[in-house]
């Protein structure tokens, strides 16, 4: 009967399945996650009716995920803020007075102007997952504060820094598998909500070609669920697994020696001078050129001379009597050690010895027996012509799960080492750089903020974030005290390239290393899912000093929605949704380039705000002008830019280089470098809001050593000069820090940091027990606890969304059924998850697809009652939970000294080091925080 009705309906002649869903279509860029897909937004009478993928867009080729299509509900979310707010009650009580923008901006300018005139460091300006960091960083530099960063320090700085110091690129934003040619993909701990559509499109290509996908992840969800092989590793032991693979490849002599000699620093000589100030540094000649040993001439030579035949093993004596050994020998000595044999690491990793051996064998077989040849001549950096491009079709990808551990920097380095040993960097079938990468570390962009670079009323001469190349680049006082409020680039986190946002509130509250005046946050839910120790962070935000004032005197916050953080702001600057503003996904920040060439994108407003809100970027530009910041006000004190759109089109970071690379020059005929073009934004809009440039075929692989590519990259301003970028198996920068810790050089760590720096700053990758695990009693906290990212939600953004809430509206703790049985727990029982720091109550579900020693939950679905326009009894608040409550920003208190729960190299937050036990609990959430009261104008939705 039903079938008959359906047939009748479908056969009706008037059925028009492709009827346009609206009267207008506008193209822009999605912002429901960080992936930056192109979208077509259909409107009817000015209201958004439907969102679809843009088939011409280079990122998603028309593919749209659940989040992207649900953008319509994000835009019309009842949680949208409607007007600037000024706090009138106690912090945290959500008692605000609506004010006009003139008053809001006047107040912000008054607070900020006062501190800029006295000590710009009293401003801490931190942003969350915003995509305008080229602007926000520039603004901080013009203000003159080094206290700036975005969310990368608690997301993936381990991965970014490890990649950039090793291979001049990194996973995800600066590189991706060669989806067209790869035959074997090894995924490590991937977050399903990052790079979502491109990975799904890529995995589909691999599956269609019959390529093998192996996923290393304690939890079998998302991409892991469609992998051919799931390796359910114990959290934090991925580095050991990779070392065992390297051990096997070295033992069986399955490494690409030609690749190592031509493209890496394997032959570079490392000085052996125990106790000396140059021990472990590269041997250099009088001109500063790194040396190798030329076997043919039997003498030392410039390591980067194309004609030499370098020696890879054995110690040599240089002409001046110094002794040195090639990098490759150090590497082989270390990883051939029996401690890294598969049978030695198997139990610790929770993986069978034979599985590890099997992966090593398959890697070697695919890399060396299924090598790929593309009949495309190319010329290398030394001018040697190659008739074809030969590649090793094994690729790797990693993200969260690697980076969120305190040993993550070295683990990620280990993966890059494995890629280099296989000859699988930017070759056909392997992992490829996304333009504008590769970028070499030298000349490095070093972080600004030294004493001579910060002065009242002055801009800083360089951006606040960068890449130190040695102790002298740290931002510390003479006694080692950090100069930044988050202690980035100090001895506590020397290579903190993305800052330490997760430590800002604690340090500001403590006045350590100094008190600040204003905490200025954008899109950063720091009183909920973006904070470790959520309850403690809230207490710090509301704590008062001896004078009765708040210990953090001013908090300015900008958000489009009533997130948990709004309640703790003194001044709220309401932002627009992503469909109501101009935006710029810039080559100066993290563009949408691919291995085929550079690309960038914009957002355009497709609807006008129906509330009294302003795009944060416009607000920042106006504030900059009001404060007279040199980049934002003319010498006569007039605004330099009308708004963000005007800034995007006219700003030049250096002559001819602006936020957008496409259609530059007055006639719009230049790419990357050229004069500002008043019609540039219109050209982007005509083109679907993106620009891309296709590299010619001879430039598409071996970019680190491809003469034509390097020359064109230099012309486009991506690199300073067209020199070979040598891949770094051995990172000398790390050894420089270690030497300082051993008492060498003018800048040395304070006594308390020496042993720690010496231990962790190893120039070759190491593995150590995650720091929390090493510090706790394993018997008291026998389980690992991690979060996974659901594909249909991005951080906390999705759980206000009426459509996405139908997929998940609460989270459970997932426990292996054997583990639960041993604890006497059953499906849907309530438990406390107890860590050394705190506990959180939740309900469990039993599963098979998880490492038995690990429990997990979805990230950021639990909500504080009253926030995000959800009814106080919404499932997110009533039955959802936030694991952050059990995670501390510090290592256990019994340690002799206060230590960050973070990677000691980069300061990356160690979210996934968490160790817990489960205790049976009563049902309910009476231990939850009191509900928040939404400000006027925020509509409270329904529970469900
Ligand atoms: S992956 Fe989905 S949410 Fe993310 S940008 Fe693309 S369409 Fe939007």
């Amino acid at each position: 009967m039903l079938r008959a009705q359906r047939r009748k309906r479908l056969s009706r002649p008037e059925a028009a399945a492709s009827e346009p869903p609206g009267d207008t279509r506008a193209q822009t860029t999605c912002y429901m996650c960080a992936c930056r897909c192109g979208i077509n937004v259909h409107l009817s009478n000015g209201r958004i009716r439907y969102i679809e993928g843009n088939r011409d867009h280079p990122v998603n080729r028309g593919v749209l995920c659940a989040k992207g299509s649900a953008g319509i509900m994000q835009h019309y979310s009842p949680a949208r803020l409607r007007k600037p707010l000024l706090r009138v009650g106690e912090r945290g009580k959500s008692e605000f007075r609506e004010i006009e923008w003139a008053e809001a901006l006047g107040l912000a300018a008054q607070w900020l102007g006062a501190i800029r005139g006295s000590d710009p460091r009293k401003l801490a300006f931190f942003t969350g997952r915003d995509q305008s960091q080229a602007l926000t960083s520039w603004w901080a530099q013009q203000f003159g504060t080094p206290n700036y960063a975005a969310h990368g320090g608690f997301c993936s700085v381990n991965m970014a820094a490890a990649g950039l110091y090793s291979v001049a690129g990194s996973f995800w934003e600066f590189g991706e598998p060669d989806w067209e040619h790869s035959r074997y993909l090894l995924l490590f701990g991937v977050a399903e909500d990052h790079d979502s559509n491109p990975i799904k499109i890529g995995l589909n290509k691999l599956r269609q070609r019959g390529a093998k996908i192996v996923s290393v992840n304690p939890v079998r969800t998302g991409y892991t669920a469609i992998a051919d092989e799931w390796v359910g590793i114990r959290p934090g032991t991925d580095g050991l697994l990779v070392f065992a693979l390297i051990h096997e490849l070295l033992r069986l002599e399955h490494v690409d020696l030609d690749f190592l000699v031509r493209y890496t620093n394997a032959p570079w000589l490392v000085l052996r001078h125990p106790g000396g100030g140059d021990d472990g540094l590269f041997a250099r000649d009088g001109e500063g050129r790194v040396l190798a040993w030329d076997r043919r001439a039997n003498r030392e030579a410039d390591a980067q001379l194309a004609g030499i035949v370098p020696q890879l093993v054995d110690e040599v004596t240089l002409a001046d009597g110094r002794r040195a050994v090639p990098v490759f020998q150090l590497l082989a000595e270390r990883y051939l050690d029996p401690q890294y044999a598969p049978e030695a690491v198997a139990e610790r990793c929770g993986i069978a010895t034979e599985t590890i051996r099997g992966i090593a064998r398959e890697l070697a077989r695919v890399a060396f027996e299924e090598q790929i040849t593309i009949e495309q001549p190319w010329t290398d950096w030394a001018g040697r012509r190659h008739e074809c491009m030969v590649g090793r079709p094994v690729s790797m990808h990693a993200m969260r799960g690697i980076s969120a551990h305190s040993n993550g920097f070295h683990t990620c380095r280990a993966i890059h080492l494995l890629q280099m040993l296989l000859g699988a960097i930017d070759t056909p079938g392997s992992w490829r750089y996304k333009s504008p990468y590769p970028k070499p570390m030298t000349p490095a962009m070093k972080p600004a903020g030294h004493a001579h670079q910060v002065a009242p009323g002055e801009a800083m001469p360089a951006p606040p974030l960068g890449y130190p190349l040695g102790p002298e680049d740290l931002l510390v006082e003479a006694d080692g005290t950090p100069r930044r409020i988050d202690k980035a680039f100090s001895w506590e986190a020397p290579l903190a390239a993305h800052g330490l946002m997760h430590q800002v509130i604690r340090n500001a509250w403590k006045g350590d290393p100094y008190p600040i005046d204003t905490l200025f946050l954008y899109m950063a839910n720091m009183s909920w899912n973006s904070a470790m120790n959520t309850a403690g962070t809230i207490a710090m935000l509301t704590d008062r000093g001896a004078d009765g004032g708040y210990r953090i005197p001013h908090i300015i916050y900008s958000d489009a929605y009533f997130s948990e953080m709004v309640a703790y702001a003194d001044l709220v600057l309401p932002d627009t949704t992503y469909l109501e503003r101009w935006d710029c996904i810039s080559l100066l920040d993290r563009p949408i380039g691919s291995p085929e060439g550079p690309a960038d994108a914009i957002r355009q407003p497709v609807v006008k705000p129906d509330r009294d809100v302003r795009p944060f970027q416009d607000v920042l530009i106006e504030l900059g002008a009001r404060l007279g910041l040199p980049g934002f006000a003319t010498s006569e004190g007039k605004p330099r830019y009308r708004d963000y759109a005007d800034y995007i089109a006219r700003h030049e970071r250096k002559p001819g280089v602006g936020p957008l690379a496409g259609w530059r020059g007055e006639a719009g005929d230049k790419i990357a470098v050229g004069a500002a073009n008043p019609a540039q934004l219109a050209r982007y809009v005509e083109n679907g809001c993106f620009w891309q440039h296709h590299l010619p075929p001879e430039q598409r692989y071996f970019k680190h050593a491809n003469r034509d590519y390097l020359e064109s990259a230099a012309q486009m301003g991506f690199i300073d000069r067209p020199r070979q970028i040598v891949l770094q198996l051995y990172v000398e920068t790390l050894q420089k820090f270690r030497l300082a810790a051993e008492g060498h050089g003018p800048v040395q760590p304070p006594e308390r940091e020496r042993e720690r720096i010496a231990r962790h700053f190893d120039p070759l990758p190491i593995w150590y027990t995650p720091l929390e695990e090493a510090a706790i009693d394993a018997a008291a906290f026998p389980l690992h606890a991690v979060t996974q990212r659901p594909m249909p939600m991005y951080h906390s953004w999705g759980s206000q969304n009426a459509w996405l809430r139908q997929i998940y509206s609460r989270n459970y703790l997932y426990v292996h059924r054997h583990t639960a049985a041993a604890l006497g727990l059953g499906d849907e029982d309530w438990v406390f998850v107890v860590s050394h720091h705190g506990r959180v109550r939740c309900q469990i579900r039993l599963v098979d697809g998880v490492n038995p020693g690990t429990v997990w939950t979805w990230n950021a679905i639990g909500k504080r009652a009253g926030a995000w326009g959800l009814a106080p009894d919404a499932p997110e608040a009533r039955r959802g939970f936030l694991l952050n409550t059990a995670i501390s920003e510090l290592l256990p208190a019994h340690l002799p000294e206060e230590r960050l729960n973070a990677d000691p190299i980069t300061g990356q937050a160690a979210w996934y080091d968490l160790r817990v036990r489960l205790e049976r609990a009563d049902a309910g959430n009476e231990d939850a925080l009191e509900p928040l009261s939404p400000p006027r104008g925020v509509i409270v939705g329904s529970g469900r």
Side-chain angles (χ1 to χ4, degrees):
M1 170 76 177
L2 279 174
R3 224 181 264 156
Q5 278 177 350
R6 192 159 161 261
R7 250 200 320 272
K8 192 169 162 212
R9 234 186 8 250
L10 287 175
S11 65
R12 277 189 313 193
E14 69 272 23
S18 359
E19 200 172 291
D23 50 38
T24 320
R25 188 194 78 158
Q27 294 184 301
T28 188
T29 304
C30 183
Y31 200 177
M32 291 294 287
C33 84
C35 203
R36 301 155 295 193
C37 298
I39 50 172
N40 301 330
V41 181
H42 295 264
L43 300 111
S44 178
N45 293 323
R47 286 191 58 89
I48 302 166
R49 300 302 308 269
Y50 178 59
I51 297 175
E52 65 178 345
N54 175 355
R55 285 167 192 259
D56 300 324
H57 200 277
V59 171
N60 57 321
R61 306 269 168 219
V63 173
L64 198 69
C65 75
K67 303 181 292 277
S69 55
I72 183 169
M73 303 315 275
Q74 204 86 353
H75 176 74
Y76 292 117
S77 165
R80 289 178 305 173
L81 298 171
R82 311 190 77 81
K83 204 161 175 66
L85 301 169
L86 182 65
R87 179 177 60 80
V88 292
E90 294 287 303
R91 269 195 198 152
K93 299 295 179 197
S94 278
E95 291 167 14
F96 294 106
R97 175 167 67 84
E98 288 189 346
I99 58 174
E100 300 303 321
W101 275 100
E103 185 180 353
L105 292 174
L107 203 52
Q110 181 192 324
W111 294 350
L112 296 172
I115 53 182
R116 185 165 192 262
S118 56
D119 180 0
R121 288 196 304 169
K122 289 197 175 297
L123 167 65
F125 177 33
F126 286 76
T127 72
R129 200 25 176 128
D130 80 286
Q131 292 179 352
S132 51
Q133 289 165 32
L135 169 71
T136 53
S137 157
W138 174 250
W139 194 93
Q141 180 185 336
Q142 302 305 304
F143 187 90
T145 181
N147 292 326
Y148 162 83
H151 84 305
F154 61 65
C155 179
S156 54
V157 66
N158 266 347
M159 202 182 70
L164 290 168
Y165 280 97
S166 306
V167 294
S170 74
F171 294 120
W172 181 27
E173 287 186 304
F174 309 149
E176 70 179 22
D178 185 349
W179 301 113
E180 304 300 331
H181 300 103
S182 193
R183 291 182 182 155
Y184 189 95
L185 172 67
L186 199 49
L187 286 166
F188 289 92
V190 173
E192 270 80 27
D193 63 347
H194 286 80
D195 208 18
S196 179
N197 282 345
I199 290 186
K200 280 179 276 182
I201 295 168
L203 291 176
N204 182 45
K205 287 181 182 165
L206 295 189
R207 297 310 304 247
Q208 287 187 343
R209 282 209 324 279
K212 182 163 183 178
I213 302 168
V214 177
S215 180
V216 181
N217 193 325
V219 180
R220 189 169 199 181
T221 59
Y223 307 144
T224 308
I226 62 152
D228 298 285
E229 186 174 338
W230 169 50
V231 181
I233 196 165
R234 229 185 114 202
T237 62
D238 307 68
L240 273 185
L241 167 66
V242 176
F243 289 160
L245 298 175
I246 291 173
H247 176 96
E248 282 297 275
L249 293 171
L250 288 169
R251 187 178 68 81
L252 299 169
E253 299 184 11
H254 287 319
V255 294
D256 190 337
L257 289 178
D258 282 349
F259 184 94
L260 293 174
V261 166
R262 278 176 185 264
Y263 306 125
T264 77
N265 65 5
W268 290 15
L269 291 171
V270 176
L271 293 171
R272 268 194 171 159
H273 184 200
D278 55 358
D279 183 46
L281 300 182
F282 293 131
R284 290 182 167 82
D285 65 12
E287 310 291 315
R289 289 178 293 236
V290 178
L291 300 173
W293 191 262
D294 185 359
R295 275 196 288 140
R296 194 159 42 196
N298 199 28
R299 62 176 156 80
E300 66 212 49
D302 178 352
Q304 287 185 265
L305 271 184
I308 65 168
V309 182
Q311 180 166 307
L312 287 183
V313 291
D314 289 341
E315 185 174 291
V316 297
T317 304
L318 303 176
D320 59 8
R322 293 179 298 169
R323 285 162 45 226
V325 64
V327 163
F328 185 77
Q329 164 125 357
L330 294 174
L331 181 154
E333 280 171 3
R334 174 166 300 178
Y335 304 113
L336 279 170
D337 190 287
Q339 68 171 309
Y340 297 125
E343 61 273 21
V345 307
E347 190 180 337
R348 180 123 212 181
C349 296
I351 304 169
T353 302
E354 199 35 51
T355 303
I356 301 173
R357 289 221 171 90
I359 296 172
R361 273 196 305 271
E362 278 192 313
L363 282 172
R365 181 182 57 73
V366 178
F368 299 110
E369 294 174 25
E370 296 187 19
Q371 77 175 26
I372 286 191
T373 302
I374 296 179
E375 300 299 335
Q376 171 60 55
W378 67 286
T379 306
D380 72 19
W381 57 275
R384 294 171 293 204
R385 183 179 158 88
H386 302 258
E387 292 309 319
C388 55
M389 293 175 159
V390 178
R392 312 275 175 217
V394 292
S395 56
M396 293 172 204
H397 181 72
M399 183 66 198
R400 295 293 291 245
I402 298 299
S403 72
H405 286 293
S406 55
N407 57 15
F409 174 85
H410 276 293
T411 296
C412 197
R413 284 255 303 124
I415 298 172
H416 290 309
L417 202 80
L418 177 61
Q419 292 175 295
M420 287 186 262
L421 290 172
L422 288 165
I425 297 274
D426 216 52
T427 67
S430 70
W431 174 88
R432 303 175 71 190
Y433 295 108
K434 284 168 139 177
S435 187
Y437 287 81
K439 290 190 180 189
M441 287 309 287
T442 48
M445 192 175 71
K446 297 177 179 178
H450 294 279
H452 66 275
Q453 295 175 313
V454 179
E458 299 285 334
M460 290 200 304
L465 298 177
Y467 297 91
L469 290 183
E472 64 284 359
D473 296 333
L474 292 183
L475 299 180
V476 290
E477 309 289 3
D479 65 355
T481 304
R483 284 193 49 80
R484 284 177 54 115
I485 188 67
D486 59 355
K487 305 188 182 180
F489 311 115
S490 76
W491 292 105
E492 293 193 37
L495 306 187
H498 294 172
L500 275 76
M501 186 168 187
H502 46 294
Q503 298 295 339
V504 170
I505 291 173
R506 180 180 182 79
N507 294 350
W509 165 75
K510 271 183 88 178
D512 174 16
Y514 45 80
I516 62 162
D517 177 88
T518 299
L519 178 63
F520 188 6
L521 299 174
Y522 174 49
M523 280 177 77
N525 203 6
M526 295 304 294
S527 64
W528 196 247
N529 59 290
S530 292
M532 294 169 139
N533 181 17
T534 315
T537 303
I538 288 172
M540 293 172 211
L541 289 168
T542 50
D543 194 23
R544 293 177 181 274
D547 62 356
Y550 287 115
R551 290 176 71 159
I552 302 174
H554 296 117
I555 299 177
I556 306 175
Y557 184 48
S558 179
D559 199 325
Y561 306 99
F562 180 51
S563 65
E564 285 87 349
M565 185 61 209
V566 169
Y568 297 92
D570 304 312
L571 178 62
V572 180
L573 306 175
D575 191 15
T576 61
T577 74
Y578 69 102
L579 296 170
E580 295 168 322
R581 65 170 180 248
W582 292 98
D583 229 330
C584 172
I585 295 115
S586 168
L587 278 163
L588 301 178
D589 181 13
R590 303 177 193 195
I592 57 165
S594 78
E596 308 301 317
D600 57 19
I602 63 162
R603 290 191 184 90
Q604 62 160 333
V606 300
V607 277
K608 285 204 172 72
D610 58 357
R611 311 160 315 285
D612 192 11
V613 298
R614 290 195 193 172
F616 177 69
Q617 292 74 15
D618 284 4
V619 168
L620 207 55
I621 283 167
E622 182 170 341
L623 263 180
R626 284 179 180 233
L627 291 164
L629 306 187
F632 296 92
T634 63
S635 48
E636 297 85 47
K638 300 239 167 52
R640 256 184 214 279
Y641 305 107
R642 187 188 64 240
D643 53 21
Y644 193 34
D646 188 33
Y647 168 93
I648 292 171
R650 290 200 298 113
H651 172 70
E652 290 189 26
R653 194 58 56 92
K654 32 187 199 185
V657 176
L660 292 172
W663 296 289
R664 295 199 70 80
E666 276 160 27
D669 55 354
K670 301 261 186 316
I671 64 168
V673 184
N677 170 13
Q680 190 184 36
L681 285 178
R683 299 296 299 273
Y684 271 80
V685 170
E686 275 165 26
N687 197 53
C689 288
F690 68 91
W691 164 85
Q692 65 179 332
H693 167 69
H694 293 281
L695 295 171
E698 69 274 15
Q699 295 185 22
R700 292 190 188 162
Y701 290 98
F702 300 96
K703 295 192 189 79
H704 47 88
N706 182 321
R707 188 185 66 184
D708 294 333
Y709 172 76
L710 292 166
E711 283 175 356
S712 80
Q715 277 163 15
M716 289 190 275
F718 303 158
I719 55 177
D720 272 29
R721 45 192 182 159
R723 286 198 60 181
Q724 182 196 12
I725 299 166
V726 181
L727 311 181
Q728 304 288 300
L729 297 158
Y730 183 100
V731 175
E732 189 186 45
T733 291
L734 297 171
Q735 179 65 9
K736 289 181 180 171
F737 283 95
R738 178 185 262 185
L739 286 170
E742 290 170 355
H744 301 286
V747 181
Q748 296 180 20
E751 208 51 47
R752 74 183 281 262
E753 303 289 356
R754 284 181 189 258
E755 188 277 331
R756 189 171 153 273
I757 295 285
R759 181 155 36 98
H760 293 109
F761 279 73
D762 195 308
L764 285 173
I766 54 173
W767 184 85
Y768 46 90
T769 305
L771 300 182
E772 179 173 321
E773 186 176 340
I776 49 106
D777 173 3
F781 304 103
L783 298 169
H784 298 266
V786 297
T787 57
Q788 293 279 295
R789 305 301 185 77
M791 281 196 194
M793 302 269 184
Y794 188 69
H795 297 284
S796 59
W797 300 359
S799 38
Q800 63 173 308
N801 188 298
W803 287 355
L804 300 179
R805 290 183 67 219
Q806 294 177 48
I807 302 172
Y808 297 112
S809 60
R810 53 88 46 99
N811 53 328
Y812 291 91
L813 186 78
Y814 295 98
V815 184
H816 194 284
R817 68 181 70 251
H818 295 160
T819 309
L823 294 168
L825 296 170
D827 209 27
E828 305 215 355
D829 278 355
W830 285 82
V831 298
F832 284 117
V833 183
V834 185
S835 72
H836 76 88
H837 171 72
R839 69 179 195 177
V840 57
R841 191 195 310 240
C842 59
Q843 225 174 339
I844 67 168
R845 294 302 298 265
L846 308 189
V847 292
D848 295 310
V850 63
N851 172 289
T854 304
V855 296
W856 70 276
T857 189
W858 296 121
N859 178 55
I861 288 179
K863 289 278 166 287
R864 183 155 173 194
W868 295 100
L870 300 178
D873 64 345
E876 287 86 346
R878 231 163 10 99
R879 281 174 284 158
F881 69 101
L882 194 68
L883 198 59
N884 305 41
T885 309
I887 304 175
S888 173
E889 73 275 40
L890 300 174
L891 290 177
H894 69 260
L895 294 179
E897 289 181 294
E898 188 176 284
R899 288 289 178 202
L900 306 185
N901 181 17
D903 186 314
I905 315 279
T906 61
Q908 157 85 45
W911 302 98
Y912 292 178
D913 281 3
L914 181 64
R915 294 295 299 252
V916 300
R917 66 171 174 269
L918 303 185
E919 294 175 359
R920 186 177 287 281
D922 296 331
N925 68 341
E926 62 274 16
D927 42 352
L929 295 167
E930 62 171 315
L932 292 172
S933 313
R936 211 174 132 230
V938 167
I939 300 161
V940 177
S942 63
R944 184 170 62 81

